């Protein structure tokens, strides 16, 4: 493992790679800072640009954006009370009051330090877990993988923001979309209507472009021409003192643990974990009433959680090929475009890329700190501009990205269709990420259930034949039972 | 009104994006511009690697540049149809494996047939082989089949896909020898690879040289092969018995070759055949073959067409006799 990491460090230290990672991080902060633009969307926009690059630099650029957006989302949350990303919403609770009190620089300073330490914390956990989990996962059989997929889907629908019912509807819709194409065992055509392009199913990379690129632009059209009111336009970052940070070590520890742990659960990640960490810290505090009035703990905790997520989502993505959130879903799609095979064999076959991505997270977190420390005022300036001029460019790059997934126009039409579907979904408060996970995990689950049954001569006992499987089945049933119980009791 | 205008601008941008590409046909001075080799699979697979290796070799033969376009989707059908319907000017070539086309024609109704193409030539043949984990301890394919007969319905054979040459080969072996093993269709080579390395199936059928590195390392054993392995770069594997050697009268292996649309003028196809033959025999391509696992071959167009047509009738025969 150490050799792998050191090797990756050496290959990343080429100037071109470092520049790309740096630019990616800066771009990520910018994208995160602009409300309405998100990290999956930025990665989609980058797809056509990274397509012709070598594999490692391409992923370094994407990783930079991914890490950068996590911090960037806190800028407008603190200065405008409009979070730049859904995950930044929690930071606004204490960040905005602190900025109003006349300390916007310090609020941003706490956000920067929280993100940086959270990022390092998540990285340490990811670096330990990925090789460990992959060495176990390589031995997994079809029944195990099917159960992991089902558990992931149940968790998504249970923990996603909003209601479990909406989450479940989203997941099932995703599963339905995933049934289009040839049956994986009998090769019967399903819902292809004789159209041969649909034989291998709805191309999920194109659907992602629609959901995270085109749909976002469609929903943001209504924000066009709205000026933003900053708390203040002139500010400098004021880094908090070391003793103030050390006194609040619990925030970073809890945030880091929650961020990494929840981030590692497929589909749940970024949006919920800051709130859970925030609530935990508030409950532990001797003065919970001060939360929301602009105290440092309220900024440090969500931001640490936020960036620890980046490490957390890498664990299932790199070890199992299962995405933790929208951004990692697109990165998995990009892996296929670059000729990698995401899944349990990735670590065995392409360990250089796995370690490269991990080292990229670490360096990008460091770059993020540097950029925020030295150049924050330029990013804040941009917050005052109308960002609608960006939309045509996003659409152009999203369309190019869709085209490149197959080099035909078919995925472009899929992207446009799913852009409209995604827009309707988001405007009705259905979390799109549940549909996406349904689409991605659906074929994995179906194929593996059927293979497991084929191998066991159609004996369903195979799904509880080993201890890990028993635990997973118990977790699935327990979660379902809990959700049903909660649904029944809250109604009466 | 302003809102409406904004929406309109976005819609117009959307539709302007739908790309339109057209090349002027040029029949004299062939080849005078960039040649596109369409590989109907995603970048990164075996066919793609061979296509890229061949494009490099072609560049040493012609003065123009040669690029690979991966037009994937629908099990290779999208790219194949795209070439069959492209301008027949010799600048858009298809590079695909024989069984990739014949298997899909056997199993599915698809919008192309073997008559839509002109066959320039085949240059890379890899047999389909039968492998197992070393811990299974089978001596060879006959040993495995004997064990399968002794334990009807208990042994499993994985294939890299439910509707490919591997599936047909497994069904034919099962039908002809009467060995009662269960066929497990994995979704593609990578899943079968994992199952073989993890020893989750008794044996697996996949195109050579997949898993050659594991064979060299002693982890995976070759049980048998659909065609002679005489061109393989790993000498100990060269005398593995073929299906014919053990009394199963079929030959299965994949040959990668170049195809152009049917209507391509004779002048261009004959010039192209010369180019492709030179590239197939070039030092550059030999080097690639050494790295990849097999020495290149050269099968001229007419012979290549005959081979692929007899392969299709063999497949249809297997499907009719042993699958339906």
């Amino acid at each position: 493992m150490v050799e792998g990491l050191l090797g990756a460090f050496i290959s990343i230290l080429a100037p071109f790679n470092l520049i790309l990672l740096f630019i990616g991080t800066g771009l990520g902060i910018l994208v995160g800072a602009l409300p309405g633009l998100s990290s999956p969307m930025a990665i989609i926009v980058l797809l056509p640009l990274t397509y012709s690059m070598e594999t490692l630099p391409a992923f370094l650029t994407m990783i930079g954006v991914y890490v950068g957006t996590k911090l960037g989302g806190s800028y407008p949350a603190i200065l405008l009370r409009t979070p730049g990303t859904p995950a930044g919403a929690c930071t606004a609770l204490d960040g905005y009051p602190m900025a109003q009190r006349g300390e916007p620089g310090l609020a941003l300073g706490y956000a920067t330090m929280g993100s940086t330490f959270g990022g390092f914390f998540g990285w340490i956990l990811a670096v330990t877990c990925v090789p460990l989990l992959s060495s176990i996962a390589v031995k997994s059989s079809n029944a195990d993988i099917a159960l992991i997929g089902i558990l992931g889907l149940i968790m998504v629908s249970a923990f996603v923001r909003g209601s479990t019912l909406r989450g479940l509807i989203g997941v099932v819709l995703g599963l339905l979309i995933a049934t289009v194409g040839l049956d994986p065992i009998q090769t019967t055509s399903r819902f292809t209507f004789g159209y041969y392009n649909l034989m291998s199913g709805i191309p999920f990379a194109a659907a992602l472009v629609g959901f995270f690129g085109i749909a976002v632009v469609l929903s943001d059209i209504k924000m066009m021409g709205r000026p933003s009111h900053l708390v203040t336009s002139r500010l400098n970052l004021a880094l908090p003192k070391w003793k103030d940070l050390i006194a609040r070590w619990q925030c970073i520890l809890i945030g880091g643990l929650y961020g990494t742990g929840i981030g590692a659960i497929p589909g749940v990640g970024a949006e919920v974990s800051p709130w859970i960490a925030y609530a935990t810290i508030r409950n532990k505090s001797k003065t919970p009433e001060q939360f929301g009035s602009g105290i440092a703990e309220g900024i440090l905790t969500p931001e640490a959680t936020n960036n620890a997520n980046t490490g957390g989502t890498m664990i299932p993505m790199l070890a199992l090929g299962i995405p933790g959130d929208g951004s990692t879903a697109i990165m998995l799609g990009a892996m296929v475009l670059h000729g990698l095979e995401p899944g349990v064999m990735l670590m065995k076959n392409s360990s250089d890329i796995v370690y490269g991505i991990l080292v990229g997270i670490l360096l990008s977190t460091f770059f993020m700190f540097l950029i925020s420390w030295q150049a924050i005022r330029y990013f804040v300036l941009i917050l005052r501009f109308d960002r609608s001029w960006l939309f045509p460019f996003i659409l152009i790059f999203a369309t190019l990205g869709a085209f490149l997934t197959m080099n035909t126009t078919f995925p472009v039409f899929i992207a446009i269709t799913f852009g409209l579907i995604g827009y309707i979904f988001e405007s009705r408060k259905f979390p799109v990420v549940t549909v996406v996970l349904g689409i991605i995990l659906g074929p994995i689950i179906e194929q593996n259930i059927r293979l497991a049954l084929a191998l066991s001569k159609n004996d369903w006992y195979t799904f509880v034949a080993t201890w890990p499987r028993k635990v997973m089945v118990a977790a699935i049933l327990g979660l379902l039972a809990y959700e049903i119980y909660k649904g029944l009791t809250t109604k009466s | 009104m302003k809102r409406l205008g904004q929406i309109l601008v976005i819609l117009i941008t959307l539709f302007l994006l739908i790309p339109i590409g057209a090349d002027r046909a040029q029949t004299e001075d062939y080849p005078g511009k960039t040649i596109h080799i369409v590989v109907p699979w995603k970048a990164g697979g075996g066919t793609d690697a061979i296509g890229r290796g061949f494009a490099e070799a072609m560049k040493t033969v012609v003065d123009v540049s040669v690029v690979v376009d991966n037009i994937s989707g629908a099990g290779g059908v999208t790219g194949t149809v795209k070439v069959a319907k492209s301008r027949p000017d010799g600048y858009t070539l298809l590079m695909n494996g024989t069984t990739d086309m014949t298997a899909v024609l056997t199993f599915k109704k698809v919008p192309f047939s073997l008559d839509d193409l002109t066959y320039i030539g085949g240059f890379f043949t890899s047999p389909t082989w039968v492998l197992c984990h070393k811990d299974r301890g089978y001596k060879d394919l006959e040993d495995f089949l004997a064990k399968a007969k002794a334990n009807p319905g208990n042994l499993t054979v994985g294939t890299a896909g439910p509707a490919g040459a591997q599936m047909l080969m497994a069904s034919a072996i099962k039908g002809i020898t009467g060995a009662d093993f269960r066929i497990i269709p994995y979704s593609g080579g990578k899943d079968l690879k994992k199952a073989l390395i993890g020893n989750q199936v008794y044996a697996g059928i996949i195109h050579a040289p997949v898993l050659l590195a594991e064979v060299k390392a002693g982890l995976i054993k070759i049980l048998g092969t659909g065609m002679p392995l005489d061109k393989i770069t790993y000498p100990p594997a060269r005398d593995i018995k073929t299906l014919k050697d053990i009394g199963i009268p079929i030959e299965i292996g994949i040959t990668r070759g170049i195809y152009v649309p049917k209507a391509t003028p004779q002048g261009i196809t004959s010039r192209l055949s010369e180019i492709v033959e030179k590239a197939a025999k070039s030092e550059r391509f030999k080097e690639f073959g050494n790295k990849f696992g097999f020495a290149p071959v050269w099968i001229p167009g007419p012979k290549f067409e005959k081979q692929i047509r007899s392969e299709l009738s063999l497949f249809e025969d297997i499907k009719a006799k042993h699958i339906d």
Side-chain angles (χ1 to χ4, degrees):
Chain A
M1 186 187 111
V2 180
E3 308 95 77
L5 276 179
L6 287 177
F9 258 114
I10 291 163
S11 49
I12 284 186
L13 286 179
F16 181 63
N17 288 347
L18 284 180
I19 289 170
L20 281 177
L21 189 65
F22 189 81
I23 293 176
T25 313
L27 192 69
I29 297 181
L30 182 68
V31 165
L34 293 170
L37 306 194
S38 63
S39 131
M41 198 210 66
I43 297 175
I44 276 173
V45 165
L46 285 174
L47 262 187
L49 299 176
T50 54
Y51 183 64
S52 55
M53 291 182 194
E54 294 283 314
T55 314
L56 185 62
F59 280 95
L60 289 179
T61 317
M62 293 184 221
I63 287 290
V65 171
Y66 184 48
V67 171
T69 43
K70 299 282 182 183
L71 172 63
S74 70
Y75 294 180
I78 289 169
L79 298 171
L80 300 170
R81 207 180 194 166
T82 319
T85 53
C90 191
T91 310
L93 291 185
D94 277 278
Y96 186 68
M98 189 187 266
Q100 267 186 319
R101 218 165 50 207
E103 296 178 298
L106 188 63
L108 291 171
Y110 271 114
T112 305
M113 293 319 280
S115 284
T116 310
F117 283 113
F120 288 148
F121 192 95
W123 180 79
I124 293 170
L125 283 185
V127 159
T128 340
C129 291
V130 169
L132 203 71
L133 190 59
S134 346
S135 62
I136 302 169
V138 174
K139 297 195 187 80
S140 65
S141 68
N142 302 100
D144 300 311
I145 294 174
L147 287 174
I148 291 172
I150 296 171
L151 190 60
L153 282 189
I154 300 285
M155 283 186 177
V156 186
S157 34
F159 292 133
V160 91
R161 98 190 114 95
S163 74
T164 309
L165 188 63
R166 283 207 165 98
L168 216 52
I169 291 174
V171 163
V172 171
L173 191 83
L175 289 178
L176 272 179
I177 293 169
T179 56
V180 175
L182 294 187
D183 168 312
I185 308 283
Q186 250 101 43
T187 73
T188 322
S189 299
R190 297 190 298 209
F191 309 117
T192 61
F193 305 101
Y195 186 47
Y196 72 93
N197 264 326
L198 284 174
M199 250 168 54
S200 42
I202 305 265
F204 86 85
L208 289 184
V209 170
F211 277 143
F212 292 117
I214 293 169
V216 174
V217 173
L218 289 178
S219 11
D220 281 359
I221 289 175
K222 60 175 181 288
M223 299 208 303
M224 281 167 77
R226 265 194 221 165
S228 307
H229 295 290
L230 285 179
V231 173
T232 167
S233 56
R234 272 190 306 182
L235 89 159
N236 276 311
L237 189 76
L239 287 182
K241 293 196 179 68
W242 278 107
K243 68 172 170 49
D244 289 341
L245 282 175
I246 293 166
R248 297 181 171 88
W249 61 274
Q250 280 188 323
C251 301
I252 290 165
L253 180 72
I254 299 261
L257 278 177
Y258 277 44
T260 322
I262 300 174
I265 300 171
V268 185
E271 295 181 5
V272 224
S273 46
W275 296 96
I276 303 179
Y278 185 86
T280 311
I281 284 287
R282 190 177 55 195
N283 292 341
K284 278 176 68 94
S285 162
K286 291 189 191 84
T287 51
E289 68 281 353
Q290 286 186 0
F291 278 80
S293 66
I295 58 169
E297 285 86 350
I299 303 173
L300 271 179
T301 315
E303 282 307 308
T305 317
N306 223 339
N307 268 73
N309 256 187
T310 55
T313 50
M314 287 302 129
I315 298 172
M317 172 176 113
L318 295 175
L320 305 172
I322 289 177
D325 58 9
S327 308
T328 41
I330 296 157
M331 282 188 230
L332 284 176
M335 282 187 183
V336 178
L337 282 185
H338 278 274
L340 300 172
E341 294 176 344
V344 293
M345 298 288 279
L346 186 70
M347 186 75 188
K348 202 171 151 61
N349 295 337
S350 325
S351 62
D352 51 331
I353 298 295
V354 173
Y355 283 120
I357 287 176
L358 286 173
V359 171
I361 295 243
L362 179 71
L363 288 180
S364 175
T365 308
F366 179 65
F367 285 155
M368 174 192 81
F369 168 73
L370 277 187
I371 295 171
S372 181
W373 181 29
Q374 289 301 328
I376 198 164
R377 75 195 85 137
Y378 305 111
F379 286 94
V380 171
L381 272 183
I382 290 161
L383 283 181
R384 290 190 297 173
F385 291 121
D386 186 3
R387 65 190 163 277
S388 38
W389 59 271
L390 277 172
F391 294 162
F393 293 98
I394 295 171
L395 287 180
I396 288 174
F397 279 101
T399 313
L400 274 178
F403 179 79
L404 277 175
T405 59
M406 288 164 84
N407 275 318
T408 48
T409 47
F410 171 65
V412 176
F413 293 112
I414 293 284
I416 294 173
T417 314
F418 278 84
L420 290 171
I421 296 175
Y423 168 66
I424 295 167
F425 253 66
E426 277 291 345
S427 61
R428 294 285 178 276
K429 302 250 182 308
F430 281 95
V432 159
V433 71
T434 55
V435 189
V436 167
L437 275 146
I439 297 179
I440 293 175
L441 291 178
I444 298 179
I445 295 172
E446 185 194 0
Q447 172 81 21
N448 282 296
I449 287 184
R450 297 182 64 177
L451 282 180
L453 286 174
L455 285 169
S456 74
K457 288 204 224 169
N458 290 328
D459 183 1
W460 287 84
Y461 183 73
T462 180
F463 291 105
V464 286
T466 65
W467 272 108
R469 292 182 207 169
K470 285 191 180 94
V471 171
M472 281 192 280
V473 170
I476 291 168
L477 294 178
L479 265 174
L480 273 180
Y482 174 70
E483 286 303 324
I484 292 169
Y485 169 76
K486 216 173 64 180
L488 288 176
T489 45
T490 43
K491 241 179 217 153
S492 56
Chain B
M1 219 33 227
K2 192 180 165 211
R3 175 69 49 83
L4 196 71
Q6 289 165 341
I7 295 173
L8 241 155
V9 168
I10 287 180
L11 282 181
I12 290 170
T13 341
L14 263 181
F15 283 100
L16 282 182
L17 295 173
I18 296 165
I20 354 162
D23 285 318
R24 282 273 158 72
Q26 279 174 331
T27 35
E28 69 272 11
D29 307 333
Y30 177 84
K33 58 178 182 139
T34 304
I35 296 176
H36 290 257
I37 299 185
V38 171
V39 172
W41 302 95
K42 284 207 163 87
T47 306
D48 176 62
I50 297 168
R52 283 174 196 275
F54 191 73
E56 288 303 312
M58 252 177 97
K59 273 185 218 166
T60 64
V61 179
V62 289
D63 297 331
V64 295
S65 62
V66 183
V67 294
V68 170
D69 293 344
N70 296 87
I71 303 184
S72 59
V77 175
T78 308
T80 306
V81 171
K82 191 108 179 173
V83 174
K85 290 189 177 149
S86 70
R87 198 179 287 269
D89 56 4
Y91 291 103
T92 310
L93 321 180
L94 174 70
M95 205 297 297
N96 202 6
T98 50
T99 63
D100 286 333
M101 298 204 290
T102 48
V104 78
L105 285 166
T106 307
F107 282 98
K108 287 284 139 199
K109 237 185 91 182
V110 289
F112 78 91
S113 77
L114 292 184
D115 300 328
D116 295 340
L117 300 166
T118 297
Y119 300 79
I120 300 297
F123 48 76
F124 201 86
T125 300
S126 32
T128 308
W129 58 14
V130 188
L131 307 170
C132 76
H133 194 277
K134 67 162 176 17
D135 292 349
R136 294 285 175 188
Y138 302 123
K139 231 171 72 228
D140 50 24
L141 190 56
E142 284 173 296
D143 185 29
F144 170 79
L145 291 172
K147 300 252 161 68
K149 276 180 191 160
N151 289 291
N154 278 328
L155 271 50
T156 50
V157 172
T159 64
Q166 300 94 338
M167 182 72 184
L168 289 156
M169 180 158 149
S171 311
I173 296 175
K174 187 175 169 177
I176 292 168
T177 63
D180 185 13
F181 51 79
R182 285 180 291 134
I183 301 172
I184 314 285
Y186 285 86
S187 63
K190 68 166 180 168
D191 289 350
L192 177 60
K193 252 163 93 174
K194 181 187 161 245
L196 276 168
I197 293 172
N199 202 8
Q200 290 160 2
V201 279
Y202 287 80
I205 299 182
I206 199 164
H207 289 316
V210 178
L211 286 169
L212 181 59
E214 283 76 8
V215 169
K216 284 182 188 165
L219 181 73
I220 297 288
K221 189 174 161 51
I222 311 169
L223 293 177
T225 171
M227 267 181 166
L229 283 168
D230 53 336
K231 297 266 185 206
I232 198 163
T233 52
Y234 176 61
R238 286 187 188 148
D239 16 288
I240 296 285
K241 279 187 187 168
T242 63
L243 293 182
K244 278 193 171 155
D245 291 340
I246 61 167
I248 303 169
I250 52 169
E251 257 196 342
I252 294 186
I254 181 169
T255 301
R256 268 82 172 203
I258 293 280
Y259 319 78
V260 289
K262 187 88 216 170
T264 313
Q266 172 83 51
I268 289 179
T269 56
S270 55
R271 175 83 189 95
L272 185 61
S273 301
E274 286 166 30
I275 295 170
V276 171
E277 179 174 0
K278 248 192 219 161
K281 291 177 174 167
S282 66
E283 272 311 306
R284 189 63 175 266
F285 199 55
K286 243 181 232 158
E287 269 167 45
F288 167 81
N290 270 334
K291 236 175 63 193
F292 198 78
F294 279 98
V297 293
W298 172 245
I299 306 168
K303 200 177 156 205
F304 186 45
E305 180 170 4
K306 229 179 101 197
Q307 181 189 330
I308 194 167
R309 284 187 189 277
S310 71
E311 186 179 281
L312 179 61
S313 54
L314 169 73
F315 282 3
E316 283 169 344
D317 189 48
I318 294 177
K319 182 166 180 281
K321 273 193 199 142
H322 305 298
I323 294 183
D324 293 337

